[in-house]
Amino acid sequence: MFPKRQGIIVWLHSLKHSKHLRKFGNIHYVSKRLKYVVLYCNMDEVDYVMKKIAALPFVKEVEPSYRPYLKIEFESKADKEKEYQ
């Protein structure tokens, strides 16, 4: 129903150009102190969007978010104790 989304962290030289990134996805957060923008786009478009953003002159670096690939199901301490007994 909803497309899978992935975050992209874009490090900028100046925040003056942060509004230009709207056309690549939804801007989620802008850090004024560290000068970076977190934006979300569809997972199937991440590589294309990262290449396009990296080519812009006001961009220092572009990093993907690894959150969709992390295991977020944790075991409780009681489950581990049962396994070892």
Side-chain angles (χ1 to χ4, degrees):
M1 184 169 170
F2 294 110
K4 295 272 188 176
R5 311 279 281 165
Q6 184 174 358
I8 299 175
I9 296 91
V10 183
W11 297 89
L12 303 172
H13 291 288
S14 172
L15 289 178
K16 177 171 47 172
H17 304 288
S18 63
K19 289 188 179 182
H20 293 282
L21 298 173
R22 286 187 200 166
K23 65 181 177 181
F24 297 106
N26 296 336
I27 294 179
H28 179 70
Y29 181 72
V30 177
S31 172
K32 292 180 181 176
R33 187 170 67 90
L34 296 176
K35 296 181 185 174
Y36 72 88
V37 174
V38 177
L39 64 93
Y40 282 89
C41 66
N42 295 338
M43 281 187 83
D44 54 343
E45 300 173 355
V46 169
D47 293 330
Y48 172 76
V49 170
M50 285 179 57
K51 287 178 186 173
K52 289 295 248 184
I53 291 174
L56 297 172
F58 53 86
V59 174
K60 277 187 197 176
E61 188 178 347
V62 180
E63 302 174 6
S65 171
Y66 296 108
R67 186 164 190 253
Y69 305 112
L70 294 176
K71 179 183 164 193
I72 56 172
E73 296 146 4
F74 302 104
E75 298 177 1
S76 67
K77 195 171 186 179
D79 292 340
K80 286 185 179 180
E81 290 174 359
K82 288 179 185 176
E83 285 181 16
Y84 296 117
Q85 289 179 355

